[in-house]
Amino acid sequence: MPPRHPSNPRTRMTTTMMRLRQHLASPIYTSAIARIGNRAHHHRLPIAPPQKLRPSTANRTMSSSSSSSSSASDAAASTPFEKPRAVVKKLLAESQPEGQGATVRRSIGRHELRNLDPFLMLDEFSVSKPAGFPDHPHRGFETVTYMLEGAFTHQDFAGHKGTIRTGDVQWMTAGRGIVHSEMPAGDGVQKGLQLWINLSSKDKMIEPRYQELQSKDISRADKDGVEVRIIAGEAFGVRSPVYTRTPTMYMDFTMRPGSELHQPIPEGWNAFVYIIDGEGVFGRERSAPVGAHHCLVLGPGDGLSVWNKSGAPLRFALVGGQPLGEPVVQHGPFVMNSRAEIQQAMEDYYYGKNGFERATQWTSSSA
C-alpha cells in the first residue's frame, strides 16, 4: 500500500526525502551540486531502438563513409601526435562499501572529481551474493554497465529483465524515470565497470530505453600488440554499432609488453583513462608509469599516447565525450539542470507520476 501523502508541502517533501533514503540502501547516491562551464555546440547522434543489437543490426548502423574514414583513423592510431593529451589529474580509486554488501572503487563522482562533463560517475564494482544493488530509481542520465567478470541480472518496473555476462554491455537510458535492480547472477565475485553519462536538457525526459550488446557482437581490432574492444566510437578503423545520445567513445584496450598506442580523441571532448590491470606510461613517454585502479584525466590535444614498458599486459578503458556545457544539479539518483527540476523529480517519484507511475506498485524478484 502506498504511504499517505502529507498535505503540508514542506512535510510532504521531508517525507519524500525520507522515503527516498530508505528506498536507496546505497551511499552511491550522495547529494552533489555542480556547475559546468560554458554551453558547448551540440552534435547529436541517433539512438538505437530499445532492443538487443544483433550482428545484422550492427552492420546496418555503420555509416556509408566508414570505409573511407577507416584508413585515416587506422593510420592515425599508429602515428605519434603533434599535440598529445597529457595527464592533468590522477586519482587512485580506493575500495569503499556500496549498495547492500557490495564494494566499489569510485573515481569520477567523489569530492576530488565530482563531474567530468558529460560524465557523472565511474565505479569499478565487486559483488558476491547475496550483496547487490536492490530496487532504486534514476532520472536524467544514462548508465553503462560493462561486465569484466561474472554476471549481473537487471530488472525494472517496465517488465524488462535480462542478464549480462563477462564482456557484455548494457547501455540504459533512464530518461524521465526508471526503477530497477542490479543483482549478481552467479556464484563467486562479479566484477565490472559502471559509468554514468549525463543527458542534455532536451533529452532528460525522453522515454527509458536500452541497448544490450553481447560480448561476441562487440567490435574488435588487433594491431601491433594492441587489442581493443570498441564499445562506442572508432579505433584502428573499426567502428562500434552502439548509438549514443551524448556523443561518446568507450574502449577497452589490452596492450602486450613493449607495445605502444596512439589513439585519436575528437577535439574539444573531455576524456579519461581507467586502468584495470597492469601498469603503463600515459600521455608522454618520459612520464612515470601508473598502475591499476587509477583514473587519469586527460588534457586537451589530438589524442592519447600509451606505452607498455612493463613485462606484463596492460588493460585500461579509454572514455571520452562531448561536453554538454549545461548546469548540473544532482540529488542522488536524479540529475537535472535546476533545483526546481530536482524537487519535481522527487515529487514525481513519491506520487508515482510523470514517468514513475509504476514505481509504487513494483518490487523486483530480488528485493
Side-chain angles (χ1 to χ4, degrees):
M1 179 181 296
R4 296 179 61 186
H5 299 158
S7 58
N8 182 279
R10 185 178 298 275
T11 304
R12 184 174 66 236
M13 283 309 302
T14 300
T15 305
T16 301
M17 293 179 70
M18 289 177 62
R19 178 173 181 260
L20 187 59
R21 292 192 187 100
Q22 292 170 354
H23 197 69
L24 305 178
S26 169
I28 190 173
Y29 305 117
T30 303
S31 298
I33 297 175
R35 288 191 175 273
I36 299 176
N38 296 325
R39 186 176 302 271
H41 174 69
H42 289 235
H43 172 63
R44 291 282 161 247
L45 296 178
I47 192 165
Q51 62 182 14
K52 291 187 177 181
L53 291 175
R54 299 179 176 86
S56 58
T57 305
N59 291 336
R60 288 197 299 272
T61 64
M62 301 288 282
S63 68
S64 59
S65 63
S66 62
S67 58
S68 60
S69 64
S70 293
S71 58
S73 175
D74 193 17
S78 303
T79 306
F81 301 107
E82 290 185 7
K83 296 182 293 181
R85 288 185 175 235
V87 175
V88 296
K89 193 177 188 68
K90 180 175 70 173
L91 294 172
L92 175 61
E94 298 179 346
S95 295
Q96 65 183 62
E98 200 62 73
Q100 289 190 352
T103 299
V104 304
R105 292 178 178 271
R106 179 162 304 154
S107 46
I108 300 173
R110 52 194 260 191
H111 68 276
E112 299 97 329
L113 185 59
R114 185 65 70 190
N115 293 284
L116 182 64
D117 188 10
F119 307 112
L120 302 164
M121 191 194 78
L122 177 69
D123 277 355
E124 178 186 2
F125 60 84
S126 179
V127 185
S128 300
K129 288 182 176 180
F133 305 98
D135 306 0
H136 56 277
H138 293 297
R139 173 180 278 184
F141 60 99
E142 298 182 301
T143 67
V144 184
T145 306
Y146 180 38
M147 291 304 300
L148 301 176
E149 180 182 326
F152 249 55
T153 294
H154 158 93
Q155 299 180 56
D156 70 35
F157 69 2
H160 298 111
K161 183 176 181 179
T163 299
I164 53 174
R165 306 182 186 280
T166 302
D168 295 349
V169 177
Q170 182 198 76
W171 199 296
M172 183 187 81
T173 303
R176 66 201 303 253
I178 199 78
V179 177
H180 75 156
S181 67
E182 300 160 292
M183 302 297 287
D187 296 328
V189 180
Q190 324 297 310
K191 297 180 180 181
L193 299 176
Q194 186 169 95
L195 176 70
W196 289 12
I197 305 176
N198 202 9
L199 288 170
S200 69
S201 56
K202 75 180 187 64
D203 290 332
K204 284 186 176 296
M205 295 297 285
I206 63 174
E207 291 296 323
R209 62 195 68 190
Y210 300 89
Q211 295 179 83
E212 293 179 354
L213 200 61
Q214 293 185 348
S215 179
K216 64 182 179 64
D217 296 327
I218 291 178
S219 302
R220 307 178 190 214
D222 186 341
K223 182 177 181 181
D224 297 333
V226 180
E227 301 175 14
V228 60
R229 294 164 53 85
I230 308 161
I231 298 167
E234 182 176 346
F236 296 150
V238 178
R239 180 177 294 276
S240 165
V242 172
Y243 290 104
T244 62
R245 277 193 174 272
T246 301
T248 306
M249 62 185 294
Y250 190 151
M251 301 170 187
D252 176 4
F253 284 98
T254 299
M255 298 178 61
R256 292 190 281 275
S259 62
E260 65 180 78
L261 167 70
H262 304 282
Q263 170 62 37
I265 299 172
E267 183 179 358
W269 284 25
N270 286 331
F272 68 90
V273 164
Y274 186 78
I275 304 172
I276 300 169
D277 289 306
E279 68 172 29
V281 176
F282 294 84
R284 304 187 186 279
E285 191 170 7
R286 293 185 179 180
S287 299
V290 186
H293 312 304
H294 279 89
C295 179
L296 310 177
V297 179
L298 305 178
D302 300 323
L304 172 66
S305 294
V306 187
W307 295 264
N308 183 359
K309 300 182 179 183
S310 73
L314 164 65
R315 185 183 184 187
F316 64 92
L318 170 62
V319 183
Q322 185 178 54
L324 297 174
E326 297 182 347
V328 175
V329 181
Q330 178 175 349
H331 185 90
F334 305 135
V335 183
M336 303 301 288
N337 298 111
S338 69
R339 291 177 181 269
E341 290 173 335
I342 289 294
Q343 180 171 331
Q344 186 64 55
M346 290 192 292
E347 288 186 355
D348 290 346
Y349 172 63
Y350 179 69
Y351 285 113
K353 62 181 184 178
N354 294 332
F356 288 111
E357 285 78 4
R358 288 167 283 199
T360 60
Q361 305 297 326
W362 179 81
T363 302
S364 70
S365 61
S366 61

